[in-house]
Amino acid sequence: PSNQILFYPYLSNKPYIRKILSSWEEIGEVDEDYAPIHTYQVCRVMEQNQNNWLHTNWILTEGAQRVYIELKFTLRDCNSLPGGVGTCKETFNMYYYETDEDRAMKESRYIKVDTIAADESFTELDLGDRVMKLNTEVRDLGPLSRKGFYLAFQDLGACIALVSVRVFYKRCPFLVKSLAEFPDTIPGSEASQLVEVVGHCINNSMPLYEPPRMHCSADGEWLVPIGKCVCKPGFEEMSGYCQVCKVGFYRSQLESSACSKCPPHSVARQTGATSCSCEDEYHKIDSDPPNMACTRPPSAPRNAISNVNETSVFLEWSIPMETGGRKDVRYNILCSRVLPDGRGLEECGPNVRFLPRRVGLSNTSVMVADLQSHTNYSFLLEAVNGVSEMAKDYTKQYVTLNVTTNQAAPSPVSVVRKGYTGKSSIGLSWAEPDRPNGIILEYEIKYFEKEQDSSYTIIKSKETEMVVEGLKASSVYIFQVRARTSAGYGAFSRRFEFQTSPYCEYTGTIQSTMAARCGFVCLRPDPEEEKMHFHNGHIKFPGVRTYIDPLTYEDPNQAVHEFAQEIDVSFISIERIIGAGEFGEVCCGPLRLPGKREIQVAIKTLKAGYTEQQRRDFLWEASIMGQFNHPNIIRLEGVVTKSKPVMIITEYMENGSLDTFLKKNDGQFTVIQLVGMLRGIASGMRYLSDMGYVHRDLAARNILVNSNLVCKVSDFGLSRVLEDDAEAAYTTRGGKIPIRWTAPEAIAYRKFTSASDVWSYGIVMWEVMSYGERPYWEMSNQDVIKAVEENYRLPGPMDCPEALYHLMMDCWQRERTNRPKFDEIVCLLDKLIRNPSSLKKLVNSSHSARTKSVGEWLDSIKMGRYTELFVEGGYSSLEMVTQMTSEDLRRVGVNLAGHQKKIITSIQEMRVHMNNTNSPINI
Ligand code: ACK
């Protein structure tokens, strides 16, 4: 009876199942819709101290850490109970107990989940109205860690009908999102907890950047997606799956979404292509984007034109017809020089400049500079692009431009330096222009006295140095130099200002007659003559440096090495013998000093078996020559004393000694050329006299001539002059003297001075002007001495300008102080050269019976064809010819009237001339 149920808390009053479980009863009934329902009820509201437990079975958690319990129940309103029961409760308790196995436990071990109260309780009224006031309460449990648990409901005296107990847990369901699968996932135990789950990329897809992740919330919701999967290359996403690309399509990048059609000139022959391959002859480079068409090398540039400006060429062209489908077209230039005579091409060297550059040009023009002037060039113009390198079998397409550069004048000479400076001369030197643009034929030196630029002088030189002569002493001159090539003259250098040394004046007797005037002047006969040597950068100034007699050295060897460079014999090769000197053979050959250009030298040797004295005497000459440095003094290159034979090495003079040279070339030179030679000798002698050196044996045989007709004084020696010169004869006082060349005071009392050298110079002048005639002919030395003593002088040579003869005569002044100085002689000769008309007046005219043969005479009047007839007819000398009449001519065989007339006129001229010059010596 204590279990008596006062009422049925639920609806039905007709339960069809009624099971009494302790205090709780299990009741089966139907709901208002007559659907069967199952409830557990208890209603012991009338009794004290109720403690009624209802247990569930063991419930498996299935791994859930938090489970939810949803209770549906009705609860009786205590106040609505008849009589108002004091013990009536309106709540019940829910407990749980975790275990790993299905083993019931004592209630005391259960843990309370909550006290459950009803939101709405029902009354008698409700029952009568059959209104069901169903409560729903949800509680959760966790964290759970065992396999299962039990639930228990404790009733402490309420009237409850437990209609349903739903136990559940939440889970995040299997999900496919962005091609990633996420498995069915049980959330964590805490409400705020998110369980991170890494997704798995579905077939043919792969993570993009990072594996895809999702977060499973306690509520079973997938939250915070991170990363995603995308289809692999060669596949594309379609309705949530990865589909393979079709033939002709490709997909290369994860970022792109769909398969794309292959770009032009490329193909994909299979499905699933990640790229397309290029058709034949088309290419791609790595940096080309996949959607770019395959490309080809470009065709040749078009419309190429050249524009020549002196030695520069401007090349211009249009872009190729076919760029190959690329934008990276560049141009390369290949420059070749066309060798003459079909010898092919030679690549342009590194000196040719290309502006902006030679290869990889992006513009369609280039400037090619610093080419050689007047030269044929061939330019190969090639277009390339990014795939040219790959297209190995592709025949490159060029366009060729043939260009001939113009002549370009040389660039200006930049610096002019002053060298040897005299009273009337200044030595100049300069460097070749930076850009000669051809072979420099000569230099032009323009100069004028400062502030007198209305009249200027121009002289020429083949060398990069020259001595400008004929200047006023103590005067400032302005010099400018320019170079000439076959293209013409370059611009003049800037102006350089140099001053001459203090004044010199010619005081000779002919000074007044010459009236030679400095001014605008003819060109020098041979600029080589002006050549100046600046040895080791030392320039010797007259008066500053004087000649040192080697005798002042105790040890002659020391003197040699003071003034002469020792040359290792290995640098010399002897090629041939050119003559015999006093001490041994004179040879010639090349000298190759290290670091210097090879030069031809003359080698005087000392023959074997010499005495110590001979060796000393031999080297003496070198000790003297080594002190000189002048373009008209033979230059010493050095000596060989450390090996045998001992040698003296001097510059080589191609034309040998002057007397022989003149004899060989009788009548071959212009007066200006002869005067040029004389001026050179005078210039050398001026230098020697300035140095305080007296030559004592100045004669044409001791002058050497080079290939440019430059005359240089040679043969320096001891008082040996008198020993080794065959011309030297013993005088009454015992010395050996070249009588014909020597001044009377030197013969008489050995007064050798520069003034006596001037006398000898006069004799040399005579030798030169008479092409090597022997002075005083076959007269004996004694007769010569006598004649000179008696004031006889050599007559003017044939065709000798009067001015020159007057100068000779001045040199032969008895009183030596009346003779001109070498300085004055140079000044005068310069004036004569500048004013050639001053050389017109001759002491006598040509056709000399003494010097010409019949043949030469006939040749000179272009009647040489009759020579044989003349000789056969017995007219073998000009003396005989001068006797001929017109009748004689006809008899000889000259029949043409015109020829007869020409020959007769010449014979008449000859007669007149011979009457004028009947004596060899002017007395
Ligand atoms: O008259 P030549 O040909 O010139 O014969 C003599 C010969 O050697 C004996 O002296 C010639 N000779 C001397 N020195 C030189 C030189 N530096 N260059 C050329 N020939 C020279 C001279």
Side-chain angles (χ1 to χ4, degrees):
S2 62
N3 283 347
Q4 187 192 354
I5 289 183
L6 294 177
F7 61 86
Y8 296 101
Y10 195 54
L11 303 174
S12 168
N13 44 15
K14 280 188 186 157
Y16 59 90
I17 295 172
R18 189 150 169 235
K19 228 183 191 170
I20 295 168
L21 315 157
S22 68
S23 316
W24 288 79
E25 283 178 274
E26 185 184 333
I27 293 171
E29 53 189 321
V30 291
D31 65 8
E32 59 272 44
D33 298 324
Y34 296 97
I37 59 168
H38 215 89
T39 64
Y40 292 90
Q41 301 185 4
V42 66
C43 195
R44 300 270 180 112
V45 290
M46 309 307 270
E47 293 155 61
Q48 298 279 331
N49 300 325
Q50 290 301 304
N51 187 15
N52 307 313
W53 289 76
L54 175 69
H55 297 270
T56 65
N57 296 332
W58 189 54
I59 305 166
L60 283 169
T61 58
E62 297 180 353
Q65 295 174 58
R66 180 158 297 275
V67 296
Y68 298 84
I69 300 121
E70 181 201 71
L71 303 174
K72 287 196 171 159
F73 61 94
T74 59
L75 200 97
R76 177 70 184 251
D77 182 355
C78 284
N79 291 330
S80 71
L81 283 173
V85 182
T87 54
C88 176
K89 300 282 179 332
E90 288 183 357
T91 60
F92 62 94
N93 295 325
M94 181 162 73
Y95 287 82
Y96 81 102
Y97 175 71
E98 268 194 283
T99 67
D100 277 326
E101 51 190 306
D102 188 4
R103 192 152 54 88
M105 226 357 98
K106 283 192 276 181
E107 280 145 8
S108 60
R109 303 281 296 268
Y110 275 66
I111 299 159
K112 184 171 172 183
V113 180
D114 206 358
T115 298
I116 314 289
D119 292 331
E120 281 186 293
S121 46
F122 65 89
T123 61
E124 202 61 54
L125 226 67
D126 296 321
L127 284 174
D129 292 348
R130 291 188 62 82
V131 171
M132 189 176 71
K133 288 193 169 161
L134 193 62
N135 292 287
T136 304
E137 291 291 328
V138 179
R139 296 292 181 273
D140 58 335
L141 293 184
L144 299 177
S145 53
R146 302 285 167 97
K147 268 191 188 159
F149 62 95
Y150 301 95
L151 286 178
F153 305 95
Q154 182 192 30
D155 167 54
L156 296 168
C159 191
I160 316 161
L162 202 51
V163 177
S164 88
V165 176
R166 197 160 68 90
V167 179
F168 63 94
Y169 60 83
K170 296 183 180 176
R171 54 199 297 164
C172 296
F174 170 84
L175 174 76
V176 178
K177 186 178 161 79
S178 303
L179 300 175
E181 288 176 347
F182 295 92
D184 191 287
T185 303
I186 298 165
S189 57
E190 296 303 320
S192 61
Q193 196 179 345
L194 293 175
V195 176
E196 187 182 83
V197 179
V198 176
H200 166 74
C201 291
I202 63 165
N203 256 2
N204 297 318
S205 76
M206 58 192 284
L208 179 69
Y209 312 130
E210 58 178 326
R213 282 169 293 150
M214 285 284 253
H215 296 87
C216 179
S217 73
D219 281 338
E221 274 178 316
W222 289 108
L223 300 175
V224 202
I226 296 173
K228 65 175 192 173
C229 298
V230 289
C231 293
K232 287 179 187 167
F235 292 83
E236 65 186 337
E237 190 181 339
M238 225 181 258
S239 14
Y241 293 95
C242 289
Q243 309 269 345
V244 70
C245 293
K246 288 183 284 180
V247 168
F249 285 77
Y250 77 103
R251 188 172 153 264
S252 61
Q253 281 169 316
L254 297 180
E255 287 85 353
S256 68
S257 58
C259 298
S260 311
K261 198 165 160 38
C262 286
H265 305 298
S266 67
V267 287
R269 296 201 170 82
Q270 260 145 22
T271 58
T274 55
S275 64
C276 304
S277 45
C278 290
E279 290 171 2
D280 282 355
E281 292 180 12
Y282 286 87
H283 307 271
K284 236 174 192 186
I285 52 174
D286 290 347
S287 56
D288 286 348
N291 61 354
M292 182 171 148
C294 289
T295 53
R296 282 198 293 190
S299 58
R302 287 174 305 147
N303 309 330
I305 52 163
S306 63
N307 198 340
V308 179
N309 182 5
E310 295 193 341
T311 56
S312 300
V313 179
F314 185 74
L315 304 176
E316 219 178 350
W317 57 92
S318 316
I319 57 166
M321 179 82 88
E322 163 74 85
T323 61
R326 305 187 63 89
K327 291 204 175 73
D328 57 359
V329 178
R330 298 284 181 275
Y331 307 95
N332 300 332
I333 313 288
L334 186 74
C335 168
S336 308
R337 192 164 72 88
V338 182
L339 299 174
D341 310 326
R343 281 187 286 122
L345 299 172
E346 178 188 74
E347 213 175 301
C348 298
N351 293 341
V352 173
R353 282 185 302 132
F354 294 83
L355 301 168
R357 69 188 82 85
R358 190 180 72 76
V359 292
L361 290 161
S362 47
N363 288 344
T364 55
S365 64
V366 71
M367 178 84 174
V368 188
D370 296 349
L371 295 164
Q372 291 176 20
S373 62
H374 219 66
T375 303
N376 291 337
Y377 285 91
S378 171
F379 293 100
L380 233 58
L381 197 58
E382 167 201 34
V384 293
N385 63 15
V387 297
S388 292
E389 273 293 294
M390 306 173 77
K392 288 273 181 273
D393 42 354
Y394 176 79
T395 20
K396 284 189 176 170
Q397 293 191 24
Y398 301 103
V399 58
T400 309
L401 267 172
N402 292 321
V403 167
T404 303
T405 53
N406 291 336
Q407 291 198 328
S411 62
V413 166
S414 50
V415 181
V416 178
R417 290 195 179 81
K418 186 171 83 158
Y420 174 89
T421 303
K423 292 171 196 161
S424 63
S425 62
I426 291 179
L428 302 175
S429 69
W430 55 89
E432 198 179 78
D434 291 344
R435 271 174 296 105
N437 292 333
I439 295 165
I440 294 193
L441 302 173
E442 62 184 5
Y443 292 94
E444 221 180 62
I445 298 94
K446 173 181 169 181
Y447 66 93
F448 52 85
E449 209 180 328
K450 196 177 176 187
E451 278 145 24
Q452 315 248 315
D453 49 359
S454 56
S455 121
Y456 58 86
T457 306
I458 285 184
I459 50 177
K460 299 188 182 200
S461 168
K462 285 196 170 110
E463 302 291 325
T464 53
E465 53 191 25
M466 97 170 292
V467 181
V468 180
E469 303 278 357
L471 305 175
K472 282 197 213 159
S474 289
S475 307
V476 176
Y477 283 86
I478 306 292
F479 296 90
Q480 286 180 283
V481 180
R482 65 178 180 176
R484 181 170 77 86
T485 63
S486 56
Y489 283 106
F492 267 117
S493 67
R494 65 177 177 82
R495 294 168 168 218
F496 290 87
E497 232 181 84
F498 302 127
Q499 188 169 9
T500 49
S501 307
Y503 198 63
C504 86
E505 188 63 75
Y506 179 70
T507 53
T509 53
I510 57 158
Q511 185 196 6
S512 53
T513 62
M514 285 321 301
R517 192 178 52 81
C518 291
F520 191 79
V521 154
C522 65
L523 302 176
R524 286 279 158 88
D526 188 348
E528 175 63 17
E529 185 200 348
E530 306 292 344
K531 198 169 165 182
M532 182 80 190
H533 298 281
F534 302 111
H535 256 207
N536 305 326
H538 291 298
I539 297 158
K540 289 173 179 166
F541 293 94
V544 175
R545 175 103 197 247
T546 47
Y547 151 77
I548 299 163
D549 191 329
L551 268 179
T552 56
Y553 287 80
E554 259 174 41
D555 175 6
N557 270 323
Q558 197 197 337
V560 172
H561 287 107
E562 179 78 20
F563 301 116
Q565 184 197 353
E566 176 74 29
I567 292 176
D568 192 302
V569 74
S570 65
F571 299 140
I572 305 161
S573 29
I574 293 178
E575 276 176 351
R576 64 192 160 83
I577 298 174
I578 50 176
E582 194 220 342
F583 293 96
E585 283 148 342
V586 181
C587 313
C588 78
L591 168 68
R592 296 185 197 89
L593 285 178
K596 292 203 176 153
R597 79 182 157 101
E598 176 183 304
I599 54 166
Q600 200 67 16
V601 288
I603 304 145
K604 282 192 180 180
T605 56
L606 176 60
K607 58 180 171 260
Y610 52 83
T611 64
E612 190 49 33
Q613 183 59 45
Q614 281 173 320
R615 181 181 190 272
R616 227 175 272 167
D617 291 353
F618 175 72
L619 289 174
W620 181 272
E621 184 175 17
S623 313
I624 294 168
M625 226 192 286
Q627 298 186 44
F628 303 141
N629 179 14
H630 187 275
N632 297 104
I633 306 291
I634 197 87
R635 188 174 74 245
L636 178 73
E637 296 295 343
V639 292
V640 177
T641 62
K642 303 246 157 83
S643 60
K644 285 182 186 166
V646 173
M647 303 176 196
I648 295 176
I649 315 296
T650 64
E651 66 181 307
Y652 178 64
M653 301 291 283
E654 295 82 349
N655 281 317
S657 57
L658 179 61
D659 62 333
T660 329
F661 176 67
L662 288 171
K663 279 176 205 148
K664 255 193 264 165
N665 295 284
D666 191 0
Q668 302 295 307
F669 302 117
T670 63
V671 170
I672 289 288
Q673 280 176 309
L674 295 175
V675 178
M677 294 182 204
L678 287 174
R679 198 205 134 274
I681 300 164
S683 177
M685 288 309 296
R686 175 179 61 183
Y687 176 82
L688 293 181
S689 66
D690 283 345
M691 291 277 284
Y693 179 81
V694 179
H695 192 287
R696 299 184 180 208
D697 197 8
L698 177 58
R701 66 183 167 278
N702 288 330
I703 303 292
L704 289 165
V705 187
N706 74 9
S707 57
N708 291 322
L709 293 194
V710 177
C711 291
K712 306 199 182 196
V713 179
S714 83
D715 223 332
F716 304 95
L718 205 35
S719 42
R720 55 78 211 162
V721 166
L722 321 166
E723 303 300 325
D724 74 277
D725 191 333
E727 284 294 349
Y730 288 100
T731 62
T732 44
R733 301 181 83 204
K736 227 181 159 194
I737 287 175
I739 301 293
R740 281 154 222 266
W741 283 265
T742 308
E745 73 276 9
I747 297 173
Y749 51 99
R750 294 176 151 260
K751 183 70 189 164
F752 286 100
T753 59
S754 287
S756 61
D757 276 351
V758 167
W759 178 290
S760 309
Y761 178 79
I763 304 292
V764 171
M765 282 185 77
W766 191 90
E767 289 185 277
V768 169
M769 296 316 290
S770 57
Y771 285 96
E773 186 75 85
R774 179 167 166 75
Y776 311 100
W777 303 274
E778 300 319 317
M779 287 171 71
S780 71
N781 279 343
Q782 277 317 308
D783 288 347
V784 171
I785 295 171
K786 197 160 167 268
V788 171
E789 270 303 303
E790 291 169 357
N791 266 342
Y792 299 165
R793 295 290 182 271
L794 283 165
M798 288 311 105
D799 298 338
C800 178
E802 206 175 67
L804 292 177
Y805 184 54
H806 283 156
L807 178 57
M808 293 176 207
M809 293 294 277
D810 273 356
C811 294
W812 301 326
Q813 291 272 335
R814 166 176 289 279
E815 177 49 53
R816 71 172 193 276
T817 53
N818 286 344
R819 294 173 203 156
K821 304 284 177 292
F822 279 116
D823 194 18
E824 295 161 334
I825 295 172
V826 175
C827 284
L828 177 74
L829 292 177
D830 280 336
K831 285 177 185 170
L832 296 179
I833 290 167
R834 286 187 203 144
N835 188 6
S837 63
S838 63
L839 294 163
K840 282 254 166 65
K841 195 168 176 215
L842 307 181
V843 281
N844 42 40
S845 71
S846 65
H847 311 297
S848 156
R850 278 198 306 264
T851 55
K852 274 206 170 80
S853 70
V854 175
E856 283 168 337
W857 160 68
L858 285 171
D859 282 344
S860 72
I861 55 171
K862 301 210 159 50
M863 294 289 118
R865 73 196 75 170
Y866 297 117
T867 305
E868 250 174 60
L869 294 179
F870 269 62
V871 175
E872 281 167 12
Y875 297 97
S876 55
S877 78
L878 288 179
E879 265 102 347
M880 297 172 82
V881 169
T882 51
Q883 314 296 324
M884 285 175 94
T885 61
S886 307
E887 186 50 44
D888 293 334
L889 273 185
R890 272 193 296 277
R891 219 177 309 123
V892 164
V894 182
N895 297 319
L896 292 171
H899 288 181
Q900 286 173 6
K901 197 175 165 206
K902 198 166 185 183
I903 294 169
I904 283 294
T905 312
S906 179
I907 290 172
Q908 282 167 353
E909 273 179 15
M910 238 189 312
R911 280 189 205 129
V912 174
H913 177 69
M914 288 184 112
N915 288 339
N916 288 345
T917 56
N918 47 13
S919 165
I921 302 180
N922 289 354
I923 299 174

